[in-house]
Amino acid sequence: MSSFYAEIIDEPWLRFGNGVTEKFTFRGLGEGGPFDIHQLDRKEKLNVLFIYPEGKKDISDYMLDKLVSGYRNFNGFKRLFRQDLQKIDEIEIPIKSISQGAMIANEYKTKLKDFLQNQRNEIDIAIIMHPGKRHFTNESPYFSTKILLAAHGIVTQSIDIEKFENLIGNDSLAYYLANVSLAIYAKTGGKPWALDIGSGGSDLILGVGGTRIDAQNYLAFTTLFERNGTFDYWASDISRGKEDYVKSLKSQISKVIDDYIKEH
């Protein structure tokens, strides 16, 4: 019989804005705001692009309203992060049949391509509302749009619209909205909290990875965290084939480290 050693470690103390320390994330955010609240280059508002299926504008509007104003025990994005969310634009995707997964993915891709060719507004994040994953095998509307937006330097947040609709009216929606809000803040470069630790140890934590988007393309990405756990840098590329994927990762690692040295 094999054996192994396990240890339960204490929850770490976290540091939030205005010197607040707390073990519980959303309590800390409520009391002190995010860790980077006084960062000079921090934006007062985030511009959001909403992408949703035809006939679901009311659902996208409802989601934005609850993200901003709150829902039950979720206090809303602005009260947590001291930052506004603003819908800067929206794209409605025509869907003829929910059973035709590849066709739906292509509709998302086509409409977004047309939009990006003509858009002039600065977009901080795109919220992609799409049918559930069970409708798709290879191509999905989320990955087909994520590729295009990544090429334009726009981060994305996926929303399974069927799952979201099923949560409306339930207490669970508050937790869902809280997690989506946290993801939005972090993906747009925000630092919600940091580990409350002393000096010493490693300066940087570097992570690399990727995901296969379809039969030919890979999304390669590199992340950089400082020793207190705060997110510092994200780089991503769309790679064609495994060899190109490995080359992209090597190039990203070098660039991330070089950029960090220049900035610090």
Side-chain angles (χ1 to χ4, degrees):
M1 178 182 293
S2 60
S3 61
F4 63 92
Y5 172 79
E7 180 182 357
I8 299 175
I9 61 175
D10 293 333
E11 286 187 79
W13 282 92
L14 305 173
R15 184 167 291 276
F16 298 86
N18 299 306
V20 170
T21 56
E22 175 60 65
K23 285 188 175 183
F24 301 101
T25 54
F26 287 102
R27 185 186 298 172
L29 286 168
E31 292 177 4
F35 177 74
D36 61 351
I37 190 170
H38 297 301
Q39 191 167 303
L40 293 177
D41 60 351
R42 186 172 179 268
K43 294 183 176 181
E44 292 184 2
K45 63 182 178 182
L46 296 177
N47 292 332
V48 183
L49 168 66
F50 266 86
I51 304 173
Y52 53 84
E54 190 174 39
K56 298 295 184 179
K57 176 176 169 55
D58 57 334
I59 301 299
S60 73
D61 289 343
Y62 178 84
M63 181 175 195
L64 178 63
D65 176 62
K66 298 308 175 188
L67 280 171
V68 172
S69 62
Y71 177 85
R72 299 187 185 177
N73 63 337
F74 166 61
N75 292 326
F77 191 90
K78 186 171 184 178
R79 287 187 65 184
L80 282 179
F81 300 107
R82 282 54 164 185
Q83 195 175 47
D84 284 321
L85 283 181
Q86 172 181 281
K87 182 192 285 187
I88 194 70
D89 222 322
E90 57 191 344
I91 306 174
E92 190 169 18
I93 309 297
I95 295 180
K96 297 177 181 179
S97 173
I98 198 70
S99 63
Q100 297 175 311
M103 188 176 292
I104 294 172
N106 189 60
E107 287 286 0
Y108 271 76
K109 189 188 302 183
T110 301
K111 291 285 285 186
L112 182 59
K113 274 184 179 178
D114 293 341
F115 172 83
L116 290 172
Q117 286 176 352
N118 301 300
Q119 75 91 18
R120 296 292 180 269
N121 296 319
E122 181 182 359
I123 299 169
D124 294 302
I125 190 167
I127 295 180
I128 306 169
M129 308 184 82
H130 54 82
K133 292 180 181 179
R134 62 189 176 86
H135 299 294
F136 309 100
T137 51
N138 296 320
E139 294 189 60
S140 77
Y142 177 62
F143 281 121
S144 66
T145 48
K146 184 183 180 76
I147 294 172
L148 290 173
L149 290 164
H152 285 76
I154 301 171
V155 295
T156 55
Q157 175 61 40
S158 168
I159 301 293
D160 181 330
I161 197 166
E162 295 164 20
K163 180 178 180 179
F164 180 76
E165 287 181 289
N166 289 335
L167 289 173
I168 293 176
N170 298 330
D171 288 341
S172 298
L173 181 59
Y175 302 102
Y176 182 88
L177 290 168
N179 288 328
V180 169
S181 293
L182 179 59
I184 289 172
Y185 190 73
K187 287 180 178 181
T188 52
K191 298 177 180 179
W193 59 74
L195 293 172
D196 187 32
I197 56 176
S199 59
S202 301
D203 292 322
L204 301 175
I205 301 168
L206 187 69
V208 296
T211 183
R212 188 168 187 166
I213 297 168
D214 52 37
Q216 296 176 318
N217 295 302
Y218 293 79
L219 176 67
F221 61 85
T222 301
T223 56
L224 183 68
F225 293 84
E226 299 197 31
R227 67 178 304 273
N228 63 1
T230 57
F231 176 79
D232 196 78
Y233 194 93
W234 160 276
S236 65
D237 292 298
I238 305 300
S239 308
R240 194 171 182 84
K242 290 184 178 180
E243 288 187 11
D244 190 29
Y245 168 67
V246 173
K247 287 180 182 178
S248 292
L249 288 178
K250 289 180 178 178
S251 174
Q252 287 173 15
I253 292 169
S254 297
K255 186 177 188 306
V256 164
I257 294 173
D258 289 343
D259 287 349
Y260 183 85
I261 292 171
K262 289 175 184 176
E263 291 177 11
H264 295 80

